[in-house]
């Protein structure tokens, strides 16, 4: 199989397709273009950029998400503003859990897993809502259970 180093190289070299939503693409450009000094917040709260592969195109995708810290791990909340369907990045991460998480000027190679255990989900959901209270409103306005991933650093 591929080593994490090879994966990292692939993530850098493959084609990047920007998000079609203009405000999202602009946040990614500002954030990455500044090396992580500008465009790092939404409503004054910190944002990370998750880089991963599209499950069908295999293209590089970049998604800004709220920064939710759980120790050295990041909690990724697939809320999409309480939309009725999961965001497409949810399906991409289920297909390929290898990601890079940019937190301001730091970039980490990580692997994600969806939190399935109800007790663990409850624990990380509370952390998420504390970091970004609108997540609670999003959960109340949609019928789906909003999925949550934990991104953990790769062992080297
Ligand atoms: N979204 C969240 O869900 N949670 C957050 O905490 C969050 C915070 C946030 C902060 C700042 C900001 O600017 C945006 C923020 N968003 C947050 C919005 C987030 O960045 C995404 O835009 C949103 O979640 C929607 O994700 P999406 O993956 O559904 O993107 C839509 C807009 C989309 O259409 N994306 C692309 C596209 O071209 O269609 C990607 C398509 C894609 O991934 N295709 C796959 C492929 O193979 O390439 C195939 C996917 C498939 O299964 O069909």
């Amino acid at each position: 199989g591929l080593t994490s180093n090879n994966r990292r190289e692939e993530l850098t070299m493959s084609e990047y397709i920007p998000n079609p939503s203009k405000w999202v693409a602009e946040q990614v450009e500002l954030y990455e273009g500044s090396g992580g000094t500008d465009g790092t917040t939404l409503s004054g709260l910190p944002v990370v950029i998750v880089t991963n592969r599209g499950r069908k195109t295999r293209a590089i995708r970049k998604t800004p998400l709220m920064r939710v810290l759980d120790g050295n791990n990041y909690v990724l909340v697939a809320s999409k503003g309480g939309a009725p369907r999961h965001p497409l990045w949810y399906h991409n991460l289920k297909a390929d859990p290898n990601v890079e998480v940019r937190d301001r000027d730091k970039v980490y190679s990580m692997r994600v897993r969806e939190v399935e255990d109800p007790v663990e989900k409850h624990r990380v959901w509370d952390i998420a809502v504390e970091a970004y209270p609108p997540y609670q409103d999003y959960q109340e306005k949609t019928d789906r259970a909003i999925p949550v991933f934990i991104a953990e650093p790769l062992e080297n």
Side-chain angles (χ1 to χ4, degrees):
L2 288 171
T3 68
S4 57
N5 271 346
N6 286 337
R7 282 223 175 81
R8 189 182 185 93
E9 199 166 40
E10 273 182 85
L11 278 175
T12 319
M13 289 167 59
S14 301
E15 191 192 356
Y16 161 54
I17 305 180
N19 194 291
S21 166
K22 193 160 179 275
W23 70 279
V24 174
E26 282 175 356
Q27 175 134 38
V28 171
E29 264 165 51
L30 190 58
Y31 200 130
E32 296 225 309
S34 67
T37 60
D38 291 327
T40 62
T41 60
L42 181 72
S43 311
L45 293 170
V47 168
V48 296
I49 306 278
V50 175
T51 300
N52 64 281
R53 267 175 200 295
R55 65 171 173 168
K56 294 173 187 165
T57 60
R58 303 301 292 154
I60 295 297
R61 300 292 185 180
K62 291 181 180 286
T63 306
L65 299 174
M66 302 317 293
R67 182 180 70 193
V68 180
L69 277 172
D70 178 24
N72 290 330
N73 299 335
Y74 291 84
V75 178
L76 312 180
V77 182
S79 55
K80 199 183 176 184
R85 308 294 298 272
H86 297 332
L88 292 172
W89 65 262
Y90 166 83
H91 302 287
N92 294 334
L93 295 197
K94 291 298 279 186
D96 181 347
N98 295 291
V99 301
E100 283 180 355
V101 176
R102 172 182 277 274
D103 184 355
R104 299 189 200 196
D105 60 340
K106 303 266 195 305
V107 182
Y108 304 100
S109 291
M110 304 189 109
R111 187 160 294 139
V112 302
R113 62 180 173 87
E114 185 174 357
V115 178
E116 317 262 13
D117 175 65
V119 175
E120 187 180 26
K121 175 127 189 218
H122 196 275
R123 183 183 72 80
V124 296
W125 179 257
D126 284 349
I127 296 171
V129 170
E130 192 175 334
Y132 190 63
Y135 284 144
Q136 193 61 54
D137 310 326
Y138 298 162
Q139 182 56 85
E140 279 161 21
K141 96 180 203 199
T142 184
D143 289 335
R144 68 188 171 97
I146 291 177
V148 171
F149 294 94
I150 291 187
E152 295 162 324
L154 289 182
E155 309 286 343
N156 284 310

